[in-house]
Amino acid sequence: MVNGYRPQTLDEALEIRANTGAIPLAGGTDLMVRHKNIPGALPKFEEPVVFISHLEEIRGVKAEDGIVKIGAATTLAELENDEKIPAVLREAISNMAARNVRHIATIGGNVCNASPAGDTLVPLYALDAGVKLASTNGVRTLPVQDFITGPGQTALAPDEILTEIVIPTRSFTKEYYRKVGTRKAMALSRVSFAALADVNGGLIEDIRFAFGAVAPTVVRSREIEKQFISRTVDEIKGDAPQWAQKFAPLLKPIDDQRASAQYRRKVAINLAVYFIEEIL
Amino acid sequence: MTIEFTLNGEKVAYEGSPLRRLIDVLREDFGLIGVKEGCGEGECGACSVLIDGKNVPSCILPVGAVAGREIYTIEGLRDTEQFNILMDCFAEAGAVQCGFCTPGMIIASVALLKHNPKPSEEEIRHWLAGNLCRCSGMNMIVEAVKLASERGIQW
Ligand SMILES: Cc1cc2nc3c(=O)[nH]c(=O)nc-3n(C[C@H](O)[C@H](O)[C@H](O)COP(=O)(O)OP(=O)(O)OC[C@H]3O[C@@H](n4cnc5c(N)ncnc54)[C@H](O)[C@@H]3O)c2cc1C
Ligand code: FES
Ligand code: FES
């Protein structure tokens, strides 16, 4: 029988992780489904498990020094009602699963799961979020796009725990989030999209586009975004489809049963066109 | 591992693997069979329990995660006045047919009405979105919750 550990502190959790290679279990909403067994039987875990959802050090939200710091074990339900959380992220969260699952599922679990359809990742990419990783040897911080290395894959070392998600506090004049899926509550997103912009006197000063579930990882391109900067909103709106199409070569959906690749690509571009024409 | 928590108002201690699903511990060890298993994957809400007042699917929660927390199942609510009001409203609205989803629906309704005693219809649908009913269609259930709210149910 595999072991489960319930440490009292983060330090203790990191020791356990370093010494046993136990996998962190936060809300368990991904892990328990992945290791499902027949009813009544123990879930099929092959490695030991370390419970982390109760650790106060990695729970809660703080806004300080121009940064919003989100404890990795904070639940999605706690975040969706917290004014300190940027609106695009809250919007994405309130469209994830249903409220009952959000009462236990954590943001750290969604990030570490690294699903191409993981719904917090799209706004986190757009917001230039970073992740703080701790081990018994110390702490390091990575930009979220460097942390996610592939579908279901991250740069998390076997002795590390994600402790915090950090987001620079910054307000945008335009914010948009949309998820196009089948059934609102449950379907993992087919296509999701977040866009942020800062427009001043009709001039675009900052703009970010992030696309989810249209490639092995979230798509964001600073190079394409740069081409929008210092142009007028009118110029971009005048040729919205052309501008949105610039992202098309980056959209390489995995064709699965949820929606065909072609459909996903089309929806993604349409969402970008909509953002440019109606929101920007 | 020993895991202590409060169950339907009483302190209890569980001894065993912390990886067992909460639903199995509640049904098998504590005989609380009002907790139903539908999908076993967090999609249907039949297995809902209240943890610190919030509705949670117990089929995807390992018992090790609930140490020190306060759990209520439908059995623990049965003798309360609020439960009786809610059940009357469910009956009047025609929201109970085969009854399989009912304990989970009641748990979700209690969590919602604790959070907001006067929810909008949209909020009711939002909170019950994780509970599926194969028989009655959601409209009657939404009506039942509205009715309970109108009758001034309070926790
Ligand atoms: C019915 C249902 C509907 C869902 N709908 C959606 C949806 O719409 N959108 C969506 O994106 N997801 C959805 N999910 C998936 C899941 O709920 C989310 O990904 C959730 O945020 C995972 O968090 P968790 O705490 O439950 O993760 P867990 O299952 O505890 O962990 C997930 C993974 O992350 C690792 N991990 C967790 N925390 C840490 C940490 N702090 N440090 C290092 N590693 C860690 C675990 O080891 C594991 O590999 C759904 C799940 C269910 C059951
Ligand atoms: S049995 Fe738990 S949600 Fe369906
Ligand atoms: S009454 Fe039968 S499933 Fe809801």
Side-chain angles (χ1 to χ4, degrees):
Chain A
M1 196 173 80
V2 301
N3 260 324
Y5 298 94
R6 222 189 119 84
Q8 292 309 311
T9 62
L10 176 62
D11 282 344
E12 217 183 296
L14 293 172
E15 290 284 341
I16 292 167
R17 186 113 163 96
N19 296 334
T20 69
I23 46 174
L25 185 146
T29 62
D30 278 311
L31 281 177
M32 292 294 280
V33 174
R34 212 182 305 151
H35 298 278
K36 191 183 173 194
N37 202 343
I38 52 167
L42 268 185
K44 295 184 211 159
F45 284 98
E46 270 130 38
E47 298 122 322
V49 168
V50 54
F51 289 90
I52 60 168
S53 66
H54 59 290
L55 299 175
E56 285 305 323
E57 298 104 309
I58 58 169
R59 291 186 32 75
V61 181
K62 277 181 289 194
E64 52 191 31
D65 312 326
I67 299 173
V68 182
K69 301 174 179 176
I70 308 173
T74 314
T75 66
L76 299 177
E78 285 162 339
L79 296 175
E80 80 183 279
N81 296 326
D82 191 324
E83 296 283 322
K84 296 191 283 300
I85 303 299
V88 268
L89 181 54
R90 268 189 283 143
E91 180 67 20
I93 288 173
S94 65
N95 281 288
M96 285 172 74
R99 181 84 192 187
N100 57 345
V101 173
R102 298 201 297 274
H103 280 145
I104 44 175
T106 68
I107 185 164
N110 194 245
V111 170
C112 291
N113 205 38
S115 161
D119 281 321
T120 63
L121 291 174
V122 176
L124 290 177
Y125 271 65
L127 290 161
D128 280 343
V131 294
K132 212 166 137 186
L133 309 169
S135 72
T136 48
N137 295 321
V139 176
R140 60 178 180 138
T141 304
L142 289 181
V144 66
Q145 68 267 28
D146 295 347
F147 179 64
I148 308 292
T149 54
Q153 280 164 352
T154 68
L156 188 79
D159 62 347
E160 282 178 327
I161 289 178
L162 167 64
T163 56
E164 207 167 75
I165 289 136
V166 291
I167 303 174
T169 318
R170 167 135 175 34
S171 60
F172 296 88
T173 57
K174 313 283 174 182
E175 304 187 39
Y176 182 64
Y177 174 81
R178 185 73 202 275
K179 162 165 152 181
V180 179
T182 35
R183 238 188 74 221
K184 190 168 173 262
M186 288 306 179
L188 285 172
S189 61
R190 291 183 157 197
V191 177
S192 57
F193 174 75
L196 298 168
D198 232 355
V199 178
N200 239 316
L203 224 55
I204 297 172
E205 291 183 345
D206 188 352
I207 194 161
R208 296 135 185 230
F209 293 86
F211 301 87
V214 287
T217 59
V218 173
V219 170
R220 191 177 157 198
S221 164
R222 289 187 169 71
E223 266 138 57
I224 298 175
E225 288 167 6
K226 258 188 219 141
Q227 300 172 26
F228 288 71
I229 306 296
S230 300
R231 295 187 191 261
T232 65
V233 170
D234 290 342
E235 179 187 352
I236 307 283
K237 277 189 197 285
D239 208 355
Q242 200 72 27
W243 281 96
Q245 274 299 331
K246 289 182 186 289
F247 293 97
L250 303 177
L251 311 183
K252 302 190 177 80
I254 316 170
D255 205 344
D256 64 22
Q257 68 276 30
R258 277 198 206 106
S260 75
Q262 212 186 350
Y263 166 79
R264 283 181 189 220
R265 199 177 297 122
K266 196 169 145 213
V267 170
I269 295 296
N270 285 348
L271 290 170
V273 171
Y274 178 84
F275 170 73
I276 294 170
E277 287 181 343
E278 305 292 331
I279 310 288
L280 195 61
Chain B
M1 189 185 284
T2 308
I3 295 152
E4 295 177 40
F5 52 97
T6 309
L7 181 57
N8 293 333
E10 279 174 40
K11 288 218 179 310
V12 296
Y14 160 85
E15 186 67 50
S17 167
L19 294 173
R20 267 178 85 200
R21 304 184 310 163
L22 181 60
I23 186 173
D24 295 329
V25 173
L26 294 175
R27 287 180 60 92
E28 293 167 11
D29 298 18
F30 292 98
L32 298 167
I33 56 169
V35 187
K36 304 290 179 202
E37 176 146 12
C39 65
E41 298 192 351
E43 307 261 1
C44 77
C47 62
S48 298
V49 298
L50 289 176
I51 299 188
D52 295 338
K54 299 186 179 79
N55 57 317
V56 160
S58 65
C59 69
I60 52 172
L61 194 65
V63 62
V66 305
R69 312 198 48 189
E70 186 183 71
I71 301 180
Y72 273 93
T73 67
I74 197 77
E75 287 87 350
L77 300 175
R78 234 163 229 159
D79 294 331
T80 63
E81 188 194 329
Q82 297 94 326
F83 173 82
N84 288 310
I85 300 176
L86 209 45
M87 266 330 280
D88 286 346
C89 296
F90 266 65
E92 283 172 42
V96 183
Q97 292 184 28
C98 80
F100 183 76
C101 71
T102 310
M105 291 288 179
I106 297 276
I107 292 281
S109 306
V110 170
L112 164 62
L113 293 167
K114 276 187 173 188
H115 173 82
N116 178 5
K118 297 279 170 218
S120 65
E121 170 157 349
E122 195 192 342
E123 206 174 357
I124 299 175
R125 289 190 186 275
H126 185 85
W127 273 68
L128 298 185
N131 294 69
L132 304 184
C133 176
R134 287 168 295 141
C135 308
S136 77
M138 283 305 285
N139 290 344
M140 282 123 141
I141 294 168
V142 173
E143 278 312 311
V145 179
K146 271 196 214 161
L147 207 56
S149 164
E150 280 159 21
R151 291 190 186 163
I153 200 163
Q154 285 287 345
W155 267 273

